[in-house]
């Protein structure tokens, strides 16, 4: 009985956090009258939605954005990653740190920062007589802004793959008469192909699931994507729950297809080497390419990190936008509300920090138990637990928000987290559960099962072995994952906008609302604090995980 307690609790929590929201999305899409308690006229909403001319536009723009972001990320990430992995790049760790920052900056904050920089009379136009607002508020502009946030996924995958796979073997090929380019195309690139393909599919998935950038720039650019369409059906009266559910299923289908293809490529397309011993990393000098490479990395860092951060900080420290970039316009006044306990800004910050801490604790416990059950195959339903715990990695945040609304906004529940801060805790925990699962699974596989088996032989119960042996050994990796969950939760936007109860604001909602109300300086001051906090916690988490892994 005791042995079944932990698996039972773990499965119940996974069903509550992950399975139930998705189930209600499917039920609402199939049965339009579900809200009235009726299962009549199944699938009757599909013909009307498919006949809606905006659906094709939303679907085509979503695919254009996803494919465009993947292509631009490839154009940026593959060359930069190859240079990082194959050559002795000056200040290599600095470039790695800089290219980590755009992926950690919330995309909606990056979009708002670019808007302030490139809009008419924006910061760029104040410094140089250049007007690029036409580019920003267009489909290519949306793709470019998103790509500058997402390309590090490709950069890190390519650099790590080429550094460990193809460098030494390519040099062997050159010794046997192959030219540098032929060795690269025939040896290095094929070895890195699985990592490249998987990272590009991940970039596609992240792009089609993004809400903040299309919402910030898309309305003025005429870009209609599925995430914006879902939010519009929930925000505009009359509320169309069924339409939002059907669009959510379409978006989930696209995301799951890309996620499945990514896993299939990573798992099946393997290029093996048979040297019989570990490959050493052979690093070559840049030679005459030293300065061109430095310029290339510098320009990319300036566009992806320097300009958005400079725009954000300039706004946060400016008294008024109309005052422009001048010393007389400098102020700390926008940060003052963050320290006043009776202010909305302070309340939003403390709410986000509390929710992030709660999500880190909840996902840490559930993720550890799920990983322990799956890695050790301790229950018959280990495959189901594994699938439920990793499914949120392929679920767009807006779909999780829709699912939670449909699942918990029901009169038959005697107790419901809907319209409370608890619904936000559910949303963050569902979206970020894969972090602790992956970290804990990797740590448990390194440990193996011998220590736990030895404890059982000496009379320890399964719970004692788990608490006294496995948990202490996995704890550093678990803490790193919990810190990542905390950092990402602080800045999460779309579920916060959909689910925040009346009178409750999070950091992301506060920033978004300040821009809507015209209080741009207050919004960017909060955004600056959120970015610094998230970046600091994430870097600490990565350092902790690397130290433990090493």
């Amino acid at each position: 009985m005791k042995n079944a307690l932990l698996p039972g609790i773990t499965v119940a929590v996974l069903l509550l956090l992950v399975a139930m929201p998705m189930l209600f999305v499917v039920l609402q899409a199939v049965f339009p009258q579900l809200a009235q308690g009726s299962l009549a006229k199944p699938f009757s909403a599909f013909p009307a939605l498919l006949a809606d001319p905006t659906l094709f536009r939303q679907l085509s723009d979503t695919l254009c954005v996803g494919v465009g972001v993947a292509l631009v990320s490839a154009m940026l990430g593959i060359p930069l990653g190859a240079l990082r992995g194959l050559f002795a790049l000056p200040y290599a760790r600095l470039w790695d740190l800089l290219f980590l920052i755009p992926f950690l900056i919330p995309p909606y904050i990056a979009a708002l920062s670019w808007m302030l920089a490139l809009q008419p009379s924006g910061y760029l136009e104040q410094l140089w007589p250049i007007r690029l607002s036409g580019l920003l508020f267009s489909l290519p502009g949306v793709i470019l802004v998103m790509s500058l946030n997402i390309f590090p996924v490709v950069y890190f995958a390519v650099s790590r793959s080429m550094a460990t796979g193809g460098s030494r073997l390519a040099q062997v090929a050159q010794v046997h008469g192959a030219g540098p380019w032929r060795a690269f195309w025939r040896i290095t690139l094929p070895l890195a192909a699985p990592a490249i393909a998987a990272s590009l599919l991940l970039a596609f998935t992240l792009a089609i699931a993004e809400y903040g950038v299309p919402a910030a720039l898309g309305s003025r650019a005429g870009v209609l994507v599925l995430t914006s369409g879902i939010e519009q059906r929930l925000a505009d009266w009359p509320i169309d729950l069924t339409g939002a559910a059907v669009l959510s299923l379409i978006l989930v289908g696209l995301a799951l297809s890309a996620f499945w293809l990514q896993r299939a490529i990573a798992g099946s397309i393997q290029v093996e080497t048979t040297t019989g011993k570990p490959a050493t990393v052979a690093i070559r000098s840049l030679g005459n390419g030293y300065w061109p490479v430095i310029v290339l990395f510098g320009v990319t860092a300036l566009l992806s990190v320097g300009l958005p951060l400079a725009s954000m900080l300039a706004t946060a420290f400016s008294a008024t936008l109309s005052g422009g970039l001048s010393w007389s316009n400098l102020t700390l006044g926008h940060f003052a509300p963050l320290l006043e306990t009776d202010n909305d800004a302070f309340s939003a910050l403390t709410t986000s920090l509390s929710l992030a801490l709660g999500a880190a604790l909840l996902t840490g416990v559930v993720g550890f138990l799920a990983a322990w059950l799956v890695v050790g195959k301790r229950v018959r339903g280990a495959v189901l637990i594994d699938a439920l715990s990793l499914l949120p990695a392929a679920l767009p945040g807006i779909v999780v928000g829709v699912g939670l609304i449909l699942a918990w906004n029901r009169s038959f529940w005697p107790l419901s987290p809907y319209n409370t801060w608890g619904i936000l805790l559910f949303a963050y925990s569902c979206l970020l559960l894969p972090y602790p699962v992956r970290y804990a699974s990797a740590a448990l596989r390194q440990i193996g099962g011998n220590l736990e088996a030895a404890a059982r032989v000496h009379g320890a119960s399964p719970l004692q072995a788990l608490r006294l042996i496995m948990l202490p050994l996995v704890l550093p990796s678990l803490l790193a994952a919990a810190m990542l969950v905390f950092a990402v939760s602080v800045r999460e936007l779309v579920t916060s906008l959909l689910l925040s109860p009346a009178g409750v604001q999070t950091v992301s909602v506060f920033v978004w609302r300040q821009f809507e109300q015209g209080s741009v300086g207050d919004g960017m001051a909060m955004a600056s604090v959120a970015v610094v906090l998230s970046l600091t916690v994430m870097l600490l988490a990565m350092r902790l995980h690397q130290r433990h892994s090493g």
Side-chain angles (χ1 to χ4, degrees), residues 277-302:
K277 55 185 178 181
T280 57
V281 178
I283 301 297
R284 290 173 287 179
S285 171
L286 288 171
N288 294 331
Y290 182 93
W291 286 112
V293 168
I294 292 294
V295 171
L296 177 63
F297 273 76
V299 170
T300 306
L302 177 65

Side-chain angles (χ1 to χ4, degrees), residues 145 147 255 274 302 319 387 407 425 455 507 514 518:
V145 169
S147 300
T274 55
L302 177 65
L425 179 62
V507 164
Q514 295 308 304

Side-chain angles (χ1 to χ4, degrees), residues 85-103:
L86 300 177
F87 294 91
L89 182 68
Y91 314 110
R93 292 190 176 182
L94 174 62
W95 299 122
D96 285 350
L97 175 61
L98 289 176
F99 290 153
L100 182 66
I101 293 174
F103 190 62

Side-chain angles (χ1 to χ4, degrees), residues 236-293:
D236 294 348
W237 187 262
I239 295 175
D240 184 7
L241 292 176
T242 302
V246 175
L247 290 181
S248 297
L249 285 184
I250 296 174
L251 185 59
V252 168
L254 292 175
L256 285 178
S257 297
F259 186 74
W260 173 83
L261 190 57
Q262 172 199 343
R263 295 288 295 269
I265 289 174
S268 63
I269 302 180
Q270 296 292 338
V271 182
E272 297 182 357
T273 59
T274 55
T275 60
K277 55 185 178 181
T280 57
V281 178
I283 301 297
R284 290 173 287 179
S285 171
L286 288 171
N288 294 331
Y290 182 93
W291 286 112
V293 168

